Amino acid sequence: MILDTDFIIIGSIIIILLIPLYIYRKKVYSFFTRQGDFETFEENIKNYLHTYYPKIKFDYSIIEKTKTEKDIKLRQILVIEDLVSQFFDFKYELETQKCIHKDFLWSTYEQNCKPIKEKLPNDWAKRKEFTYRRDNCKCKRCGLSIELIDAHIVFIRPLSNGGGYNFENLITLCTDCNKILNSQTKGVKSSIIEDRLLKKVTVK
């Protein structure tokens, strides 16, 4: 079978044109799926924040405001920066908490509630765990589930202002929220929530 000369020439041209397409297929695919990448990113971000930070009602209007940004990675980062700012600016007032039922209290509980020279009472580990369990193993400010080892048990009323080690004066916070509510912290340079959200950027 003898192939027509025109057929051979056209076939050769097609093959030559397809070679660059094959070599740069990843970049071409990325170009045509940029919008899809952002939609996936948007869905992942919303699901993540709703699941892990349920107490904070995020405003996603930043997504609409950045729709003209052609650089998808930059747009994703702008969205993350806005959401992280909302997390930091979320208003939360420390309030007196529930006490532990008296049946679970131990004989030295009352005498160890009053601070002595601002030293932790010898039953502090027990108080920390009870507070953590009472708060359902979650940060009271944002709702993030945390391990006991990562939990920060803080005072609603500082010891210097008459507060004590009683359960009504103790509350569970995650690392980020503890930094935010700590009056001695002036600006938080890094946060766990920002690090985790940046890992969801879909365009490399």
Side-chain angles (χ1 to χ4, degrees):
M1 178 179 178
I2 301 175
L3 296 176
D4 185 79
T5 306
D6 291 340
F7 179 82
I8 295 173
I9 294 173
I10 293 173
S12 299
I13 293 173
I14 292 174
I15 291 172
I16 291 171
L17 292 174
L18 288 176
I19 290 174
L21 183 62
Y22 176 78
I23 294 173
Y24 298 104
R25 63 190 182 281
K26 289 185 178 179
K27 290 185 178 180
V28 173
Y29 176 79
S30 176
F31 176 81
F32 285 105
T33 58
R34 288 188 305 177
Q35 187 59 35
D37 283 344
F38 186 84
E39 290 172 356
T40 299
F41 162 81
E42 179 184 344
E43 183 179 354
N44 287 341
I45 288 290
K46 288 181 177 179
N47 288 338
Y48 178 80
L49 293 177
H50 176 74
T51 301
Y52 291 96
Y53 300 94
K55 289 194 172 185
I56 299 182
K57 306 303 178 186
F58 290 94
D59 174 9
Y60 295 99
S61 60
I62 185 64
I63 293 174
E64 181 67 19
K65 293 176 182 177
T66 58
K67 68 179 182 179
T68 57
E69 177 55 60
K70 294 181 180 180
D71 186 326
I72 303 302
K73 183 175 182 179
L74 176 58
R75 185 183 179 193
Q76 292 175 351
I77 291 174
L78 290 173
V79 169
I80 288 172
E81 287 178 348
D82 183 85
L83 295 173
V84 170
S85 292
Q86 290 182 48
F87 176 82
F88 277 68
D89 295 339
F90 177 69
K91 301 299 181 185
Y92 179 77
E93 296 294 331
L94 291 172
E95 298 178 349
T96 301
Q97 299 297 299
K98 294 180 182 178
C99 184
I100 303 296
H101 194 279
K102 62 181 182 179
D103 291 344
F104 295 103
L105 300 180
W106 48 98
S107 60
T108 58
Y109 169 77
E110 288 292 343
Q111 69 186 51
N112 285 335
C113 284
K114 295 181 180 180
I116 301 175
K117 297 181 181 179
E118 296 193 8
K119 290 184 178 180
L120 292 175
N122 53 19
D123 57 4
W124 174 250
K126 192 172 185 178
R127 290 172 188 262
K128 176 178 179 178
E129 183 171 359
F130 271 52
T131 303
Y132 171 76
R133 301 294 178 193
R134 179 203 63 192
D135 295 340
N136 298 315
C137 313
K138 297 179 179 180
C139 174
K140 294 287 287 186
R141 178 179 180 269
C142 69
L144 179 68
S145 294
I146 47 180
E147 297 293 332
L148 176 59
I149 193 172
D150 298 320
H152 294 264
I153 307 301
V154 301
F155 302 108
I156 295 167
R157 177 183 290 184
L159 299 179
S160 58
N161 194 30
Y165 294 104
N166 52 304
F167 288 117
E168 298 93 330
N169 196 46
L170 303 177
I171 194 170
T172 306
L173 296 176
C174 67
T175 298
D176 282 344
C177 290
N178 181 54
K179 289 180 180 179
I180 293 167
L181 295 180
N182 184 350
S183 60
Q184 295 178 352
T185 303
K186 297 181 179 180
V188 181
K189 295 181 180 179
S190 63
S191 63
I192 294 173
I193 184 173
E194 183 174 19
D195 291 342
R196 289 177 177 172
L197 290 180
L198 285 173
K199 290 179 180 178
K200 297 187 178 296
V201 172
T202 57
V203 180
K204 304 298 181 183

